[in-house]
Amino acid sequence: MAPVHRTLLLLFFASAFFLPLSTTSATQKVSLALYYEALCPFCSRFIVLSLSKIFSDGLISIVDLRLVPYGNAVIGPNSTIICQHGPSECFLNTVEACAINSWSDVQKHFSFIYCVENLVIANKYSDWESCFQRTGLDPHPLVNCYNSGHGQEVELQFAAQTNALQPPHRYVPWIIVDGLPLYDDYDNFEKYICKAYRGELPSACRRLPVYLAQQMRPNGAERSIIFVANHREQLATKKAVARKCGWTEGHHLTTFRYRSGKIVV
């Protein structure tokens, strides 16, 4: 593993112990949901290169992060799942679903998913089991989740959550901040988090490239955030390069039955 990625993995665990204590309550945190699929290259890059920043810069302290590994899959006969990038994606979606189910601590399950998606970027995802050693996580809860068939149940729950989205997701990665889909502007997700947060802004918000002006009402109960930059102009000048996995890429009509194999570690 490259030194920079090994360092990031260590940071995820260290932040749980060394981040300053906060009085932020669960109700004050900003919801951030990522709907994705394991082998979509744009999802992998977003997780490894962008989403991971909230753990290193401390923004995770004001975020309620929820990961939903299902993406553009569809339900087939007898609760089989058809994945956009084939059986390997169905397998890794379920592995990552089991990671989320087995380790409720976001620091833990994100560190594992980060490791797997980093291997996806390197086209070495067949080595996903090495992430147990790299993260120091006990493999048994995840393996039991998968081998018992519970992983399939979790994936079907994620399927229901994804299919219930309003507006419906159009592609992945599909990021929702505080109930607001970001569409193609997902690279700026941190700015939307800072805009939605109602507490005292953490230093990570003040360091963002786009300056934020905070206006407090006289009673201090509410505030508004003004974006000084013109996002629409920024988006209009971006290169017309696809940064998402959508149905236009075609669907691999290969079903994957979760109970057909076991993970052995």
Side-chain angles (χ1 to χ4, degrees), residues 88-104:
S88 293
E89 181 166 78
C90 282
F91 172 74
L92 288 178
N93 281 350
T94 311
V95 165
E96 295 186 8
C98 279
I100 295 166
N101 182 262
S102 300
W103 306 302
S104 59

Side-chain angles (χ1 to χ4, degrees), residues 1 4 6 16 60-61 76 158 210 227 243 262:
M1 174 180 269
V4 64
R6 187 183 300 276
I60 187 62
S61 65
F158 285 163
V210 175
F227 278 81
R243 297 179 301 110
K262 302 289 185 181

Side-chain angles (χ1 to χ4, degrees), residues 20-155:
L21 291 176
S22 172
T23 58
T24 301
S25 68
T27 57
Q28 290 177 311
K29 289 188 175 184
V30 177
S31 63
L32 168 60
L34 169 62
Y35 295 82
Y36 73 102
E37 55 196 23
L39 294 186
C40 169
F42 308 104
C43 297
S44 302
R45 291 169 193 164
F46 177 76
I47 290 170
V48 172
L49 302 178
S50 298
L51 187 57
S52 61
K53 293 177 183 177
I54 69 174
F55 291 86
S56 57
D57 65 17
L59 203 59
I60 187 62
S61 65
I62 65 168
V63 170
D64 180 14
L65 177 61
R66 189 163 63 93
L67 303 174
V68 185
Y70 178 78
N72 295 327
V74 295
I75 304 297
N78 301 317
S79 296
T80 56
I81 295 181
I82 304 169
C83 291
Q84 182 170 14
H85 299 96
S88 293
E89 181 166 78
C90 282
F91 172 74
L92 288 178
N93 281 350
T94 311
V95 165
E96 295 186 8
C98 279
I100 295 166
N101 182 262
S102 300
W103 306 302
S104 59
D105 184 344
V106 68
Q107 304 275 348
K108 292 183 178 180
H109 67 243
F110 184 82
S111 68
F112 186 86
I113 290 171
Y114 171 94
C115 179
V116 174
E117 294 302 323
N118 188 45
L119 291 173
V120 172
I121 291 175
N123 198 28
K124 297 179 179 179
Y125 54 85
S126 61
D127 193 31
W128 69 271
E129 288 175 279
S130 67
C131 290
F132 292 123
Q133 181 177 3
R134 297 182 187 194
T135 60
L137 292 168
D138 179 5
H140 292 96
L142 187 153
V143 172
N144 290 339
C145 169
Y146 183 92
N147 288 347
S148 68
H150 184 58
Q152 180 187 17
E153 296 173 0
V154 176
E155 268 297 278

Side-chain angles (χ1 to χ4, degrees), residues 185-220:
D185 201 25
Y186 63 78
D187 282 336
N188 290 313
F189 76 101
E190 287 187 305
K191 297 171 189 134
Y192 288 92
I193 292 171
C194 295
K195 180 180 179 181
Y197 187 55
R198 299 302 178 188
E200 180 180 353
L201 284 177
S203 58
C205 290
R206 296 191 291 269
R207 291 196 298 265
L208 290 174
V210 175
Y211 295 101
L212 298 173
Q214 177 178 327
Q215 295 182 337
M216 298 297 296
R217 293 185 179 181
N219 61 9

